[in-house]
């Protein structure tokens, strides 16, 4: 990456970090701080994550995958997934109670997640799906809260969304289900209920046809960049239902059948 491109990425990361710390929104990144390519966008994301880790004293714990669902792809005008980093500072165990005003949008996404049992380093050949599955320790129910520093996240473009850590705001996780291989995640029904009333339904098929397909995409993506998916890392694979905008007072439960459930209250 050229020095001028590096300067753009660092400037964008600084503006996005300050927007988070000061809880304010941006109309867009200015031209001299806006990544123009995917490589620049992920470099900006890396610089932002470094600032977040320093500010919140957290560590990266894995990845979120965005735009694996046709609904999300249509909303954001994107044909391919992209990813962000998850941080321990924004990870909570179910049941969780979070302050509504910490977020701008509160997009509630019921998602299957995986925890890795061993490393998957870059290889000379594409890693088969079954080999990826064998490296998984277990599957979890989860809720990701998606938020954005931009006034209109649907129009700023892929590079800016990637730079903003793929709009990741928080993750609430359920219990790890290690005996998961007998569960067909592709047909497993998911229900999202608010204050006892089901408001969204879906299944693992919404996630590129099967949540393992999303994990396979992430492995290929990381390997193409010379990166390793590591043991102990979590990966949340994308929304399985329609999109629900959380409101103050909501008592939210996402149910994933045999995989378990997650509870979140917005206060």
């Amino acid at each position: 990456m050229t020095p001028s491109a590096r300067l753009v990425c660092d400037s964008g990361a600084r503006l996005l970090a300050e927007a988070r710390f000061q809880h304010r929104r941006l109309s867009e990144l200015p031209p001299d701080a806006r990544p123009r390519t995917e490589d620049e966008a992920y470099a900006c994301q890396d610089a932002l994550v470094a600032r977040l880790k320093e500010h919140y004293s957290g560590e990266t714990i894995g990845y979120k995958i965005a735009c694996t669902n046709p609904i999300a792809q249509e909303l954001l005008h994107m044909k391919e997934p992209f990813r962000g980093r998850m941080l321990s500072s924004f990870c909570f165990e179910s049941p969780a109670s979070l302050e509504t005003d910490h977020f701008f949008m509160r997009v509630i996404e019921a998602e299957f997640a995986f925890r890795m049992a061993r490393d998957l380093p870059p290889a000379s050949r594409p890693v088969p799906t079954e080999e990826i599955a064998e490296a998984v320790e277990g599957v979890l129910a989860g809720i990701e809260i998606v938020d954005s520093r931009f006034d209109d996240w649907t129009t700023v473009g892929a590079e800016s969304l990637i730079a903003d850590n793929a709009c990741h705001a928080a993750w609430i996780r359920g219990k790890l289900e290690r005996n998961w291989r007998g569960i067909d995640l592709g047909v497993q029904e998911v229900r999202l209920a608010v204050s006892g009333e089901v408001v969204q339904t879906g299944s693992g098929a919404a996630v590129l046809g099967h949540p393992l397909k999303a994990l396979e995409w992430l492995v290929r993506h990381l390997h193409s960049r010379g990166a390793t998916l590591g043991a102990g890392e979590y990966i949340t694979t994308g929304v399985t239902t329609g999109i629900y905008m959380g409101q103050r007072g909501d008592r939210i439960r996402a149910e994933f059948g045999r995989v378990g459930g997650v509870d979140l209250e917005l206060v």
Side-chain angles (χ1 to χ4, degrees):
M1 184 174 294
T2 66
S4 60
R6 173 59 62 185
L7 182 60
V8 167
C9 296
D10 289 343
S11 298
R14 176 180 54 81
L15 291 174
L16 288 167
E18 290 174 352
R20 287 194 183 227
F21 303 156
Q22 299 167 13
H23 195 61
R24 59 181 175 84
R25 302 191 88 173
L26 307 170
S27 57
E28 60 182 0
L29 289 173
D32 62 352
R34 186 185 310 152
R36 301 293 183 180
T37 67
E38 183 178 283
D39 285 343
E40 290 182 5
Y42 281 115
C44 187
Q45 181 187 114
D46 289 343
L48 170 63
V49 169
R51 289 174 179 266
L52 297 179
K53 288 167 62 178
E54 180 180 4
H55 183 83
Y56 294 107
S57 301
E59 297 296 333
T60 53
I61 61 169
Y63 296 88
K64 61 94 33 113
I65 312 175
C67 272
T68 56
N69 183 315
I71 294 174
Q73 292 174 351
E74 181 177 356
L75 177 67
L76 299 178
H77 314 289
M78 298 181 68
K79 296 180 180 180
E80 297 291 333
F82 57 98
R83 55 85 174 165
R85 296 308 305 266
M86 295 200 295
L87 282 78
S88 58
S89 305
F90 311 134
C91 173
F92 308 89
E93 291 190 6
S94 174
S97 179
L98 302 182
E99 293 191 22
T100 312
D101 292 342
H102 285 177
F103 312 96
F104 292 114
M105 299 193 310
R106 300 174 298 279
V107 178
I108 305 299
E109 300 193 347
E111 304 185 358
F112 289 99
F114 296 102
R115 177 181 164 94
M116 303 306 297
R118 61 178 178 84
D119 294 350
L120 281 176
S124 59
R125 57 173 176 75
V127 182
T129 302
E130 182 58 30
E131 187 173 330
I132 294 172
E134 289 175 354
V136 170
E137 179 181 357
V139 65
L140 308 89
I143 289 175
E144 184 192 10
I145 301 180
V146 171
D147 198 7
S148 174
R149 262 41 58 193
F150 298 109
D151 290 325
D152 188 349
W153 68 318
T154 66
T155 62
V156 294
E159 290 78 17
S160 290
L161 295 180
I162 292 170
D164 189 24
N165 199 26
C167 304
H168 178 64
W171 182 52
I172 300 90
R173 70 186 188 203
K175 295 180 179 179
L176 184 68
E177 175 56 64
R178 290 182 171 87
N179 187 25
W180 66 281
R181 295 301 297 272
I183 305 172
D184 188 344
L185 302 181
V187 300
Q188 176 59 59
E189 183 184 26
V190 179
R191 301 195 305 167
L192 186 71
V194 179
S195 301
E197 179 180 352
V198 175
V199 297
Q200 299 280 357
T201 60
S203 75
V207 186
L208 297 181
H210 194 290
L212 273 174
K213 292 296 184 182
L215 181 60
E216 184 178 4
W217 174 88
L218 179 65
V219 171
R220 291 198 311 268
H221 167 83
L222 293 177
H223 287 184
S224 71
R225 296 176 174 276
T228 295
L229 185 60
E233 290 193 301
Y234 294 96
I235 304 93
T236 188
T237 58
V239 61
T240 56
T241 68
I243 291 174
Y244 176 75
M245 306 295 287
Q247 305 296 323
R248 179 180 287 106
D250 282 351
R251 300 189 314 280
I252 300 167
R253 179 167 177 80
E255 296 182 348
F256 296 75
R258 289 170 56 192
V259 176
V262 177
D263 291 286
L264 166 66
E265 183 177 13
L266 295 174
V267 298

